[in-house]
């Protein structure tokens, strides 16, 4: 018997479609490589804050409180993905980048990876710029990647 936790119902296995029962099992690594599911966020204590916005003071390290934007028009000049970082104990060399995916996990855009020295003596910021004009109206997953692993994730909407 198959039990659905969402609607508290049970279905005998003989009522399920034959194709669902006859499929060969697949391991998680295969599902990940086929983009069937989204890779999990890696716990990384060096990230203090991250977000998306359409404007960021390029010289100031002040966190843009209340300035986060998650809806962008195609005509907006830029979609910025940013993160604030601080090493906890000692300086660490990392490679940081940002990536944008559609809802089917297809990678659509990725920034150039940037070498970054994350230091414990102060807050540092990395920001990556994308043009909203290149995306069709829809919802997109945005990630900050450290050493090619997602450490922060959010979603943005692009409209006409």
């Amino acid at each position: 018997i198959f039990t659905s936790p969402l609607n508290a119902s049970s279905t005998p296995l003989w009522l399920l479609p034959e194709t669902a029962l006859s499929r060969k099992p697949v391991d998680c690594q295969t599902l990940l490589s086929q983009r069937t599911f989204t890779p999990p966020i890696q716990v990384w204590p060096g990230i203090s804050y991250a977000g998306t916005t359409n404007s960021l003071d390029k010289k100031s390290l002040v966190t843009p409180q209340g300035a986060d934007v998650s809806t962008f028009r195609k005509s907006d000049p830029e979609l910025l993905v940013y993160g604030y970082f601080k090493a906890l104990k000692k300086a660490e060399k990392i490679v940081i980048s940002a990536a944008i995916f559609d809802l089917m996990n297809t990678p659509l855009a990725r920034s150039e990876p940037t070498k970054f020295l994350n230091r414990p003596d102060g807050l540092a910021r990395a920001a990556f710029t994308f043009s909203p004009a290149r995306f069709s109206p829809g919802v997109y997953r945005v990630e900050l990647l450290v050493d090619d692993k997602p450490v922060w994730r959010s979603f943005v909407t692009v409209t006409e």
Side-chain angles (χ1 to χ4, degrees):
I1 290 185
F2 171 76
T3 303
S4 170
L6 298 177
N7 60 11
S9 67
S10 296
T11 305
L13 290 176
W14 58 272
L15 286 177
L16 291 176
E18 184 67 31
T19 56
L21 297 174
S22 63
R23 287 192 188 141
K24 186 177 178 182
V26 177
D27 65 14
C28 289
Q29 192 60 43
T30 301
L31 292 173
L32 186 61
S33 68
Q34 294 172 343
R35 296 191 319 256
T36 302
F37 58 76
T38 304
I41 296 287
Q42 302 295 308
V43 176
W44 186 63
I47 189 165
S48 298
Y49 182 79
T52 56
T53 189
N54 55 10
S55 176
L56 198 59
D57 183 352
K58 307 273 194 251
K59 295 180 182 172
S60 172
L61 280 179
V62 176
T63 305
Q65 298 295 328
D68 279 357
V69 174
S70 62
T71 301
F72 299 85
R73 292 184 309 273
K74 285 177 66 85
S75 60
D76 285 344
E78 55 190 10
L79 183 162
L80 286 151
V81 181
Y82 66 92
Y84 287 88
F85 306 93
K86 182 176 183 177
L88 296 180
K89 295 179 182 164
K90 61 179 183 168
E92 57 184 336
K93 292 180 182 178
I94 59 174
V95 176
I96 187 164
S97 60
I100 299 179
F101 303 82
D102 68 12
L103 293 179
M104 297 303 294
N105 290 330
T106 305
L108 300 177
R110 185 168 182 158
S111 68
E112 192 67 33
T114 302
K115 292 180 181 177
F116 191 83
L117 181 62
N118 198 21
R119 299 162 44 144
D121 59 351
L123 204 57
R125 181 181 71 197
F128 304 95
T129 305
F130 298 93
S131 171
R134 70 185 290 184
F135 302 107
S136 301
V139 177
Y140 298 92
R141 185 177 90 235
V142 179
E143 294 181 345
L144 274 177
L145 304 135
V146 171
D147 297 331
D148 215 29
K149 294 178 178 69
V151 297
W152 175 86
R153 176 177 295 142
S154 189
F155 292 87
V156 296
T157 303
V158 175
T159 64
E160 283 294 338

